[in-house]
């Protein structure tokens, strides 16, 4: 697609939007300007291609298509069938999966589909068989009561939030921590690394139905072959949530034991993080689990977002190109460079480094909370998010860490030198920031004071780098 075409497509689209609600057109323009002018280091974000973005803005959005390919509860779904089949086909081919389900609207939805599919396959199915019922419609009220008890009495073991797991991996405030009896595994208090012997011991004692692996903020690779061994030893279903690192799997940076697809029964993902697609989710599964995953709608989902499934197909087609593997390798190399940049300047990292796409900086060495560091960096045009560190003394709100990710700036073209410079800028801002005080003069976990001039200096230095690697080069809005 030529620059002129893309520029004209977006300029005209914004004019049409402005004719109805100009403030939305203005916010959309402003967001592009903000994204272009800041160092986006949020590990879960990326920049989807114009082809992916344009695919989302069509009339495919207008079609209801509850059901599955070829088996819809609405008429006239032939084009959505094409879209969904292509998204699933690209996903199967890209990841070498036996089955792919492209309908989940987000990562959380994908995990809900996975949980209920596992429950359907492992609990409801055998229960119905034993009760001599063909399906749930044959059950009496008393049967229902017993089935609900069975479904509500299952166990899930996942990685704890402060060790880097996700809310959906059994965290109490999330539905996953309420619908299952849950326990969590952490990381080694000394090294910050996952200890498979501890996970095994916990699994043997707790005997979960579902063992969840995967993370949002663990800066290391996971050995999924070992996780599968543990799951098999206790009769658990291994579910891997690869939302964060799907791009590294797609780009063949994670292979062998580090590739979850050949080892897990069910794999869930988002499509918008390192995979660089539209916002959405997806589930991959073995043949054994495919029939229950296929019932995601109506089990926990409503009508699929056909325009987003179309954009997933486009993004997955992009991820099957050789350039994507080069990108994924660069994402990992850049994270190494960022980590080394921090370490060589005396900063402390959780686990002492990284071997994936993210780096977790412990900011207590700067005398700051994560909240103070996040805000001071934002003032300087560096967009990150605060994150707990294992055993965090500041809790999940203020935190003691900042999470950095390389997928977005790598899409812009940043290489190792630029990421070393990013580390330099971050350390400069944080070492020139002091905690502030509360209204009554006590120590504050939220307020902070950065030396005069530091934010502007950092913005100017970032702008110099960002200008060399423009976001959506050639896209000019009239
Ligand atoms: N799973 C993991 C590991 C994540 O990191 C996230 C999001 O941050 C999700 C699931 C949820 O994704 P979504 O925000 O699309 O629901």
């Amino acid at each position: 697609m030529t620059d002129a075409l893309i520029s004209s497509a977006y300029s005209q689209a914004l004019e049409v939007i402005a004719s109805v609600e100009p403030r939305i057109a203005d916010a959309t323009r402003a967001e592009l300007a903000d994204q272009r002018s800041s160092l986006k280091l949020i590990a879960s974000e990326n920049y989807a291609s114009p082809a992916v973005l344009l695919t989302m803005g069509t009339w495919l959005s207008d079609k209801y298509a509850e059901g599955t390919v070829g088996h819809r509860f609405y008429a006239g779904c032939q084009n959505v069938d094409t879209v969904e089949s292509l998204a699933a086909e690209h996903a199967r081919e890209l990841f070498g999966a036996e089955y792919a389900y492209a309908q989940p609207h987000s990562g959380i939805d994908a995990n809900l589909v996975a949980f209920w599919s596992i429950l359907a396959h492992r609990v409801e199915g055998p229960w119905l068989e034993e009760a001599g019922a063909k399906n749930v419609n044959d059950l009496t009220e008393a049967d229902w009561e017993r089935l609900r008890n069975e479904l509500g009495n299952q166990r899930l073991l996942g990685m704890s939030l402060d060790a880097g797991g996700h809310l959906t991996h059994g965290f109490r405030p999330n539905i996953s921590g309420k619908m299952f009896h849950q326990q969590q595994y952490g990381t080694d208090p000394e090294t910050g690394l996952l200890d498979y012997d501890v996970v095994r011991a916990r699994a043997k004692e707790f005997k979960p139905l579902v063992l969840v692996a995967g993370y949002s903020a663990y800066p290391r690779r996971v050995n999924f072959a070992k996780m599968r061994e543990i799951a098999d030893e206790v009769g658990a279903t291994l579910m891997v949530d690869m939302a964060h690192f799907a791009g590294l799997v797609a780009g063949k940076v994670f292979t062998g034991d580090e590739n979850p697809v050949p080892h897990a029964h069910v794999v869930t993902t988002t499509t918008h993080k390192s995979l660089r697609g539209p916002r959405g989710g997806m589930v991959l599964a073995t043949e054994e689990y495919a029939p229950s995953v296929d019932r995601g709608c109506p089990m926990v989902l409503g009508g699929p977002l056909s325009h987003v499934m179309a954009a997933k197909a486009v993004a997955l087609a992009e991820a099957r190109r050789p350039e994507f593997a080069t990108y994924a390798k660069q994402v990992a190399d850049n994270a190494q460079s960022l980590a080394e940049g921090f370490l060589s300047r005396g900063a402390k990292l959780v686990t002492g480094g990284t071997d994936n796409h993210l780096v977790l900086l412990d900011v207590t060495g700067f005398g700051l909370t994560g909240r103070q560091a996040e805000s001071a960096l934002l003032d300087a045009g560096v967009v990150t998010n605060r994150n707990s560190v294992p055993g965090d003394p500041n809790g999940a709100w203020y935190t003691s860490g900042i999470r950095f990710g390389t997928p977005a700036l790598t899409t812009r073209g940043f290489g190792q030198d630029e990421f070393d410079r990013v580390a330099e800028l971050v350390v400069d801002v944080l070492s020139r920031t002091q905690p502030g005080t509360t209204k009554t003069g006590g120590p504050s976990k939220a307020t902070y004071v950065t030396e005069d001039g530091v934010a502007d200096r950092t913005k100017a230095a970032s702008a110099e780098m960002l200008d060399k690697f423009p976001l959506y080069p050639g896209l000019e809005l009239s």
Side-chain angles (χ1 to χ4, degrees):
M1 226 184 310
T2 67
D3 293 346
L5 258 179
I6 298 170
S7 298
S8 137
Y10 277 111
S11 299
Q12 290 179 32
L14 285 165
E15 243 176 73
V16 174
I17 296 165
S19 71
V20 180
E21 177 45 290
R23 289 168 296 183
I24 292 297
D26 290 349
T28 308
R29 284 172 184 273
E31 182 60 26
L32 178 61
D34 287 354
Q35 296 213 15
R36 280 181 156 165
S37 62
S38 57
L39 280 178
K40 171 144 107 164
L41 289 155
I42 293 184
S44 48
E45 293 186 5
N46 210 327
Y47 302 108
S49 71
V52 168
L53 297 179
L54 285 167
T55 308
M56 278 188 283
T58 79
W59 32 90
L60 280 167
S61 167
D62 297 334
K63 187 76 196 102
Y64 242 111
E66 282 179 8
T68 49
V69 174
H71 186 78
R72 305 283 183 187
F73 293 88
Y74 287 79
C77 295
Q78 59 282 1
N79 299 311
V80 180
D81 280 354
T82 304
V83 162
E84 185 171 350
S85 303
L86 274 172
E89 181 187 310
H90 280 309
R92 284 195 310 272
E93 295 285 328
L94 176 65
F95 291 109
E98 291 175 9
Y99 166 81
Y101 187 62
Q103 292 195 19
H105 312 330
S106 74
I108 281 200
D109 283 0
N111 286 350
L112 268 182
V113 169
F115 292 146
W116 282 105
S117 305
I118 295 167
L119 287 170
H121 180 65
R122 298 275 318 265
V123 180
E124 186 181 284
W127 194 92
L128 288 175
E129 207 171 303
E130 211 168 287
K134 276 211 193 67
N135 64 48
V136 287
N137 298 329
D138 297 339
L139 299 182
T140 64
E141 267 314 306
D143 287 338
W144 268 114
E145 192 60 30
R146 290 209 304 277
L147 178 56
R148 265 198 299 273
N149 276 336
E150 281 294 315
L151 291 169
N153 259 317
Q154 302 302 323
R155 297 174 182 196
L156 175 140
L157 178 62
M159 193 179 204
S160 68
L161 196 64
D162 73 342
H166 188 253
L167 299 169
T168 51
H169 301 179
F171 187 54
R172 280 278 186 228
N174 182 262
I175 185 77
S176 59
K178 297 185 171 100
M179 64 186 265
F180 288 106
H181 297 289
Q182 55 75 261
Q183 280 197 14
Q184 307 242 272
Y185 55 85
T187 45
D188 183 273
E190 295 297 315
T191 62
L193 297 171
L194 204 49
D195 182 335
Y196 297 93
D197 292 336
V198 171
V199 179
R200 176 177 281 108
R202 179 62 64 88
K204 281 189 162 165
E205 196 186 317
F206 185 53
K207 297 206 172 27
L209 178 84
V210 192
L211 174 62
V212 183
Y215 51 80
S216 301
Y218 180 65
R220 295 290 175 177
R221 301 181 186 194
V222 172
N223 184 325
F224 296 110
K226 273 195 188 153
M227 294 303 270
R228 174 60 186 260
E229 258 171 45
I230 296 170
D232 285 347
E233 279 173 42
V234 301
T237 298
L238 178 62
M239 167 180 156
V240 176
D241 179 351
M242 65 169 185
H244 255 264
F245 53 88
L248 299 184
V249 179
K252 312 281 181 276
V253 174
F254 289 3
T255 56
D257 292 353
E258 295 162 356
N259 174 4
V261 180
H263 303 294
H265 299 94
V266 180
V267 176
T268 59
T269 187
T270 52
T271 45
H272 48 273
K273 303 187 205 289
S274 56
L275 193 53
R276 211 165 60 182
R279 299 201 75 83
M282 222 163 48
V283 182
L284 310 176
T286 56
E287 293 286 0
E288 183 192 352
Y289 283 81
S292 58
V293 173
D294 217 32
R295 284 161 46 201
C297 165
M299 195 161 48
V300 290
L301 298 176
L305 311 178
S306 306
H307 56 310
V308 181
M309 288 198 298
K312 287 174 192 171
V314 171
L316 291 162
E318 287 178 346
R320 291 182 67 186
R321 293 180 177 166
E323 304 90 277
F324 193 85
T326 310
Y327 162 72
K329 183 173 179 311
Q330 193 66 53
V331 165
D333 289 349
N334 285 348
Q336 282 289 335
S337 175
L338 181 66
E340 282 159 21
F342 282 136
L343 293 170
S344 67
R345 292 173 178 90
K348 189 174 155 204
L349 301 180
V350 172
T351 78
T354 179
D355 49 31
N356 55 22
H357 64 296
L358 65 88
V359 172
L360 192 53
L361 177 67
D362 183 334
V363 294
T364 52
F366 295 96
L368 300 170
T369 62
R371 172 111 190 256
Q372 290 161 329
E374 178 192 83
S375 304
L377 288 170
L378 186 63
D379 294 344
V382 183
V383 187
T384 62
N385 67 286
R386 64 187 188 278
N387 209 101
S388 301
V389 301
D392 202 309
N394 286 318
W397 178 248
Y398 292 109
T399 81
S400 302
I402 293 285
R403 187 182 66 162
F404 296 87
T406 54
L409 288 177
T410 305
T411 295
R412 277 183 85 144
F414 274 40
Q416 280 132 290
D417 289 348
E418 285 75 30
F419 271 97
D420 180 62
R421 178 84 171 119
V422 168
E424 186 183 9
L425 294 176
V426 167
V427 170
D428 185 48
V429 171
L430 298 183
S431 54
R432 292 169 197 285
T433 299
Q434 306 291 326
T437 49
T438 60
K439 282 187 192 130
T440 55
S444 167
K445 288 187 172 186
T447 61
Y448 58 95
V449 185
T450 304
E451 283 174 26
D452 283 346
V454 172
D456 287 343
R457 186 173 77 202
T458 309
K459 277 186 188 160
S462 306
E464 213 175 283
M465 277 194 288
L466 292 168
D467 285 350
K468 280 195 218 144
F469 302 100
L471 173 62
Y472 303 126
L475 167 56
E476 279 174 36
L477 298 179
S478 55

